[in-house]
């Protein structure tokens, strides 16, 4: 008995650039159940970024329905969308987007600042818990520039977890990382997914897409193909086969 | 977002850019400091002037003859002979609000000689009430008597400067004889030192003798140069002035259409004039300082604009994790208000130090008034809101998708 988190019907998105109208999405139907781990793929210009923006409630569709956790987002105002993002979604970006000169802990706390219900004591406790979940308890008071790329992305994942979202949206989360670190991040995602977290991520690397349970491939604003991943890669096992190349310099 | 969270976020953002925050504040600090210092120094010199003037007698009223016109030519003030000793007597007898009245006769260009030394000084002829009106007092010796006044006695009181000029140090001048315009005068009293007046005039460089003596023996005139009177109290000085005018017009037999042939000035009026002059100067200096405050405000706007551009990604992130437009607006607004208020605090402190320092250099007590401090803070707050608004609005109007992708 699974719960449907995302239900999309006949979704279209048009952009007007001067006189020209660009049809970024041309009728998408999609469903994502709770606990799924979905990789969205596609070449650039295929509409996958637009899709992710709409999934993240950063953009609204021109036409069609989008129900997120039972809420029809077309009825919501800008401020209500912001609240929805604050309470139901977690974002992970390719470039981490951590605040510079701000400790890992404070970075993770950030979403909770925008939730009026969370008091400062609870805010810190939850941030520490989230950092613990990504295995960075001992890096809590480090600044982003004192962390490696992988660690920075972990902090960003902790930040996306801190508000206990129904879904994590990741935009090319491994795009800036080397292979080994990428696998480590995917290991973390798989780990979170096993514990029930719904995750949707965008990638253009087929290798990375195979960590998911389901792949959705976009092409020219339409879903070209959708399939369950049969030969799924498990990061834990792959990492065992990879030689340990470098001891991370920040470990000392 | 709660207010405490708002403050915390803004403070964190400022701390992250410590150096820039401090440099931005510098404009406000300098602006506020100069306003505070200017106003404090202006107020200080105003007060010290007022003190000196009240030492000269706040209820003093002066009557001078008005200028005369002869065939359309203005002969200048003091050229007329309209005031007589009878005017003094009438005032003494009839004026209710006048406590004391004395004539004044000035003998011009008198060389004063003692032994082989000589000096140039002003010789005033007056009645003994003159000392009380002009707040002179006797240091040693005595004042001349009524009998001496009547008999045109050749006695006089001298100021300290005259003594310094004519006698060797340590000499007691009382009982010695000096020659004024070659007429021997016996010094019967030494005046207490008064120092410089508010306008830098030496108030001890004078000789006072009975008015009869000066009028007849030195000046050889039959009129008087002026009348000094004192009102019964400072509050009554306007009433006294009106009364004197009324009496003099009557005794001078002026018709309603005639102009006064005398001029009356009260010390309190003079003080008001001078005080308002000082105020104008203070405000002028303050206005110049305020311009630097304005420049400081523009500096804040400038930096906030740069900050919005530089932090576009941060703004995008904040929006994506649930920050509403108004949260972003408030954050930037609060940042600029904190910058300007904090600048205000440091500015007030710096201004206070400058005022005290410059005050002791210029030998004036500087008064930092509470109201100028309050005003400085209010202005800073307004600057923060005013110059922070536009950049904050710009930040809040960003589209989160574009902001996130901004390079």
């Amino acid at each position: 008995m699974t719960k449907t988190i995302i239900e999309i019907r006949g979704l279209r998105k048009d952009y007007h650039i001067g006189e020209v109208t660009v049809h970024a999405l041309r009728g998408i139907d999609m469903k994502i159940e709770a606990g799924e781990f979905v990789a969205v793929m596609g070449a650039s210009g295929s509409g996958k970024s637009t899709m992710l923006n709409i999934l993240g409630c950063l953009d609204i569709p021109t036409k069609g329905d989008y129900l997120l956790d039972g809420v029809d987002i077309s009825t919501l105002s800008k401020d209500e969308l912001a609240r929805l993002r604050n309470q139901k979604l977690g974002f992970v970006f390719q470039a981490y987007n951590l605040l510079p000169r701000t400790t890992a802990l404070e970075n993770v706390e950030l979403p909770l600042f925008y939730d009026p219900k969370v008091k400062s004591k609870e805010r810190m406790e939850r941030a520490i818990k989230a950092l613990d979940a990504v295995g960075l308890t001992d890096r809590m008071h480090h600044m982003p520039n004192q962390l490696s790329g992988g660690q920075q992305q972990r902090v960003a994942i902790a930040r996306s977890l801190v508000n206990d979202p129904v879904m994590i949206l990741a935009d090319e989360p491994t795009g800036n990382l080397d292979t080994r670190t990428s696998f480590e991040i995917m290991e973390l995602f798989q780990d979170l997914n096993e514990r029930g977290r719904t995750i949707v991520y965008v990638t253009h690397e087929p290798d990375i897409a195979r960590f998911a349970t389901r792949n959705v491939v976009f092409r020219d604003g339409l879903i070209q193909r959708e399939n369950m991943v049969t030969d799924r890669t498990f990061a834990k096992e792959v990492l065992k086969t990879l030689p340990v190349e470098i001891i991370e310099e920040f470990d000392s | 977002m709660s207010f405490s969270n708002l403050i915390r976020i803004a403070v964190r953002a400022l701390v992250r850019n410590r150096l820039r925050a401090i440099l931005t504040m510098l404009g406000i600090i300098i602006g506020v400091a100069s306003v505070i210092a200017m106003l404090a120094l202006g107020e200080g010199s105003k007060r010290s002037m007022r003190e000196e003037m009240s030492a000269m007698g706040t209820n003093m009223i002066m009557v001078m003859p008005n200028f005369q016109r002869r065939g359309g030519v203005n002969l200048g003030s003091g050229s007329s002979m309209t005031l007589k000793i009878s005017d003094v007597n009438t005032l003494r007898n009839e004026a209710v609000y006048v406590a004391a009245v004395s004539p004044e006769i000035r003998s011009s260009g008198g060389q004063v000689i003692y032994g082989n030394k000589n000096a140039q000084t002003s010789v005033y002829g007056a009645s003994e009430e003159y000392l009380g009106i002009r707040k002179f007092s006797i240091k040693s010796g005595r004042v001349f008597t009524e009998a001496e006044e009547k008999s045109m006695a050749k006695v006089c009181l001298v100021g300290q400067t005259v003594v310094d000029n004519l006698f060797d140090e340590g000499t007691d001048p009382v009982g010695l004889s000096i020659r004024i315009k070659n007429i021997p005068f016996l010094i019967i009293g030494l005046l207490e030192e008064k120092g410089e007046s508010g306008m830098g005039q030496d108030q001890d460089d004078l000789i006072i003798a009975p008015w009869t003596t000066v009028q007849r023996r030195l000046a050889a005139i039959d009129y008087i140069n002026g009348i000094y009177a004192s009102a019964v109290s400072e509050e009554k000085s306007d009433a006294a002035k009106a009364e004197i005018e009324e009496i003099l017009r009557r005794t001078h037999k002026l018709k309603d259409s005639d102009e006064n042939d005398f001029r009356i000035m009260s010390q309190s009026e003079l003080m008001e004039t001078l005080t308002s002059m000082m105020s104008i100067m203070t405000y002028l200096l303050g206005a110049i300082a305020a311009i630097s405050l304005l420049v400081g405000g523009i500096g804040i706007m400038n930096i906030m604009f740069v900050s919005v551009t530089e932090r576009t990604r941060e703004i995008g992130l904040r929006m994506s994790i649930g920050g509403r437009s108004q949260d972003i607006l408030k954050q930037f607004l609060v940042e600029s208000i904190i910058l300007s208020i904090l600048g205000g605090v440091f500015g007030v402190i710096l201004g206070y130090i400058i005022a005290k320092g410059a005050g002791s250099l210029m030998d004036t007590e500087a008064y930092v008034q509470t109201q100028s401090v309050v005003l400085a803070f209010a202005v800073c707050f307004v600057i923060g809101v005013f110059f922070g608004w536009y950049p904050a609005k710009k930040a809040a109007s960003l589209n989160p998708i574009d902001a996130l992708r901004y390079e």
Side-chain angles (χ1 to χ4, degrees), chain A residues 4-22:
Chain A
T4 306
I5 287 184
I6 285 176
E7 195 171 351
I8 287 169
R9 285 189 298 261
L11 190 136
R12 301 180 71 93
K13 179 72 190 177
D14 302 331
Y15 288 111
H16 301 281
I17 303 162
E19 297 283 291
V20 192
T21 304
V22 178

Side-chain angles (χ1 to χ4, degrees), chain A residues 13-46:
Chain A
K13 179 72 190 177
D14 302 331
Y15 288 111
H16 301 281
I17 303 162
E19 297 283 291
V20 192
T21 304
V22 178
H23 304 285
L25 294 173
R26 301 188 293 176
I28 305 286
D29 297 291
M30 195 159 89
K31 246 186 189 183
I32 294 174
E33 310 286 329
E36 271 200 286
F37 191 14
V38 181
V40 176
M41 295 187 65
S44 58
S46 62

Side-chain angles (χ1 to χ4, degrees), chain B residues 240-258:
Chain B
K241 192 186 155 197
E243 192 180 30
I244 291 171
E245 183 176 2
E246 191 262 315
I247 291 171
L248 288 181
R249 280 188 72 90
R250 184 157 44 77
T251 56
H252 288 190
K253 300 192 172 62
L254 298 174
K255 283 181 239 126
D256 286 350
S257 58
D258 287 343

